[in-house]
Amino acid sequence: MNYARFLTAVSAARKPSPIRMLTELQQRSPPSLISLAGGAPNPNTFPFQSANIQVKNGQTITFDEVAMNRALQYSASSGIPELLTWMKNLQKNLHNPPTASYAPEKGQMDMCVTTGSQEGLCKVFEMLVNPGDNVLLDAPTYSGTLATLEPLGCNLINVSSDHHGMIPAALREVLSQWDPSEVHKPGSTAPKILYTIPNGGNPTGASMTTQRKQEVYELARQYDMLIIEDDPYYFLQFDKPWAPTFLSMDVDGRIIRTDSFSKILSSGLRIGFVTGPKPLVDRVVLHIQASTMHTSTFTQLMVSQLLHSWGQEGFLQHIDRVIEFYSKQRNAMIRSADKWLKDVAEWHAPSAGMFLWIKLKGISDTQQLIMKKALEKEVLLVPGGVFMINSSEPCPYVRAAFSLATPEQIDEAFRRLASLIKEAL
């Protein structure tokens, strides 16, 4: 893979921060080293001394004075070593990526910690997308992705999808306007990246089948594209076995994967991960050096302590409990939808994630219905247009989240929504 062809001029121009490199060198050095190099503040001047954090299973995460001094200090831009090591082992066990054993320059799997997967996504797009580039995605899609891509001045090309995600035949049709043998020629407008949420898509709840992923990956090989596998709902798949990921199929080193702890440990701790070919992950880290510098050392140490105490088995047991909760919530929402909405709407039950994507019958656009009349009925959903490439076009869909409301609240919300739809018809 020639990774240089994918980089924007800004990303290609990034250079390592000498100060950041010295900081990381110092952290790997023996205690006998006397450093007058770094500009780190003296932790003895910080007001925080220690902390004990109670975990729901009765464990305690302890920060004594030594640990607290480290937690309150600068750390490596790629992430603290023990958290990265734990996560790399998890990725290898879950996905068995072919690239794990590759040489670094050949696309060896590497990782970095980001301040939520949103930071990772934002930096990946800024690394890869030039003004005027053609970028492929399957809309409706995550509004945060659209908010990141639209200011970059690229052309967003929609690939049709259904409740099983992106349709390979539709992707093949979109790509047919370019000759695969000419994608490397100067001035080629062939897309270089494809973005998708493969599990429990936000907003649709769609999850791609193994067969579709394989077909999409082969098309990416044919046209030499990178695939951005944005998978924050990977750990919220309701049915086992979980479908293989793009990362698990990646023989070339063309997958950049974003993972998130927001849905399973905490959304406020802001911890995500970028996994991908080392030459590209290195570029993301250079951007982190020049922007946020690193994700909070405190939250990384807190999560790392928890994961090391659990081990992978304990972590996956926690995931099973999270899945059980969301599966019951999903079932409650489907029951209420069947009860109140079957005459006025249609939907597919999601196999992952937090959302039900509902098409209202006889309603051409849900924007005014939700933003004005729904509030009068004291029920709130997200109008579907915000997830579309052109948000001004009429859209008959709404997104309902089953993460926070109780089954009783969901039932009452759908009763109010049904009444609202019937009045609007």
Side-chain angles (χ1 to χ4, degrees):
M1 294 279 291
N2 172 21
Y3 293 111
R5 72 177 285 265
F6 296 101
L7 299 179
T8 62
V10 171
S11 183
R14 292 193 187 279
K15 291 182 169 60
S17 159
I19 300 295
R20 289 267 76 207
M21 291 173 72
L22 280 171
T23 301
E24 293 171 25
L25 179 67
Q26 181 182 332
Q27 288 168 351
R28 294 195 299 269
S29 299
S32 55
L33 175 82
I34 299 173
S35 173
L36 305 179
N42 193 309
N44 293 329
T45 65
F46 298 158
F48 309 100
Q49 185 168 344
S50 62
N52 290 310
I53 298 163
Q54 295 300 126
V55 184
K56 287 178 179 174
N57 67 359
Q59 287 176 259
T60 303
I61 295 172
T62 301
F63 287 84
D64 59 17
E65 284 191 49
V66 174
M68 184 60 94
N69 280 352
R70 184 185 170 203
L72 298 175
Q73 194 55 275
Y74 294 127
S75 56
S77 292
S78 56
I80 63 169
E82 57 266 52
L83 180 58
L84 274 176
T85 299
W86 199 96
M87 281 304 300
K88 283 180 182 176
N89 288 332
L90 180 71
Q91 295 294 61
K92 288 172 184 175
N93 287 346
L94 290 176
H95 309 291
N96 191 23
T99 52
S101 59
Y102 288 14
E105 69 277 5
K106 297 289 187 185
Q108 180 187 74
M109 185 203 94
D110 201 8
M111 293 185 76
C112 68
V113 181
T114 56
T115 305
S117 63
Q118 181 71 26
E119 185 200 17
L121 268 181
C122 195
K123 285 177 164 53
V124 165
F125 286 135
E126 289 185 20
M127 170 176 69
L128 301 174
V129 179
N130 284 298
D133 279 1
N134 290 316
V135 174
L136 302 176
L137 49 75
D138 47 339
T141 193
Y142 173 46
S143 55
T145 297
L146 297 175
T148 304
L149 283 170
E150 283 165 355
L152 297 179
C154 57
N155 304 313
L156 299 179
I157 299 177
N158 189 25
V159 180
S160 296
S161 58
D162 58 21
H163 62 288
H164 294 303
M166 185 178 285
I167 301 168
L171 176 60
R172 194 174 291 109
E173 185 179 342
V174 168
L175 288 169
S176 66
Q177 59 191 290
W178 293 280
D179 184 338
S181 66
E182 296 182 354
V183 296
H184 295 137
K185 288 186 176 177
S188 171
T189 60
K192 290 187 287 188
I193 68 167
L194 178 151
Y195 168 88
T196 191
I197 305 173
N199 293 299
N202 179 2
T204 64
S207 294
M208 284 181 83
T209 61
T210 304
Q211 176 69 31
R212 287 195 179 185
K213 285 179 187 170
Q214 289 168 339
E215 290 182 46
V216 167
Y217 187 83
E218 284 308 312
L219 285 165
R221 299 187 80 184
Q222 194 178 338
Y223 286 86
D224 194 22
M225 293 188 295
L226 299 175
I227 297 175
I228 299 172
E229 181 176 31
D230 182 18
D231 212 356
Y233 305 100
Y234 174 76
F235 292 110
L236 294 187
Q237 297 181 71
F238 305 134
D239 304 312
K240 291 183 178 178
W242 294 344
T245 57
F246 279 113
L247 185 66
S248 72
M249 305 173 182
D250 188 21
V251 292
D252 295 335
R254 63 175 71 253
I255 303 301
I256 304 174
R257 177 180 171 83
T258 58
D259 284 282
S260 175
F261 277 174
S262 291
K263 314 299 184 284
I264 52 175
L265 292 184
S266 159
S267 48
L269 288 179
R270 308 307 301 135
I271 291 191
F273 302 88
V274 172
T275 306
K278 182 169 174 53
L280 297 180
V281 173
D282 285 349
R283 293 278 125 195
V284 173
V285 173
L286 291 181
H287 193 169
I288 293 171
Q289 287 183 359
S291 56
T292 53
M293 287 176 60
H294 60 79
T295 297
S296 163
T297 316
F298 187 95
T299 57
Q300 288 188 73
L301 280 167
M302 179 176 154
V303 167
S304 182
Q305 272 200 48
L306 180 67
L307 295 177
H308 279 90
S309 68
W310 276 351
Q312 284 192 21
E313 187 179 349
F315 171 73
L316 293 173
Q317 286 170 354
H318 168 73
I319 296 302
D320 285 340
R321 291 189 291 273
V322 175
I323 289 170
E324 183 182 8
F325 171 80
Y326 283 110
S327 182
K328 287 178 179 174
Q329 291 287 104
R330 185 266 319 255
N331 295 342
M333 182 165 275
I334 296 299
R335 280 196 304 273
S336 292
D338 286 336
K339 177 179 173 184
W340 297 108
L341 301 176
K342 64 183 176 194
D343 295 332
V344 291
E346 53 191 52
W347 59 87
H348 292 282
S351 59
M354 298 178 166
F355 307 112
L356 187 63
W357 186 236
I358 306 169
K359 184 179 183 180
L360 307 189
K361 296 177 182 176
I363 306 286
S364 61
D365 187 32
T366 56
Q367 179 70 24
Q368 293 301 314
L369 183 77
I370 296 301
M371 300 313 287
K372 288 189 177 177
K373 294 183 179 175
L375 284 174
E376 293 170 12
K377 291 276 186 188
E378 295 188 308
V379 60
L380 191 60
L381 300 93
V382 184
V386 304
F387 304 103
M388 301 298 181
I389 292 172
N390 183 355
S391 60
S392 62
E393 287 185 358
C395 177
Y397 287 88
V398 294
R399 189 196 76 178
F402 49 81
S403 53
L404 281 176
T406 65
E408 293 75 23
Q409 289 173 324
I410 289 169
D411 194 67
E412 175 59 18
F414 277 1
R415 185 194 69 77
R416 294 176 187 180
L417 177 63
S419 169
L420 177 71
I421 297 167
K422 286 169 182 170
E423 285 178 18
L425 291 175

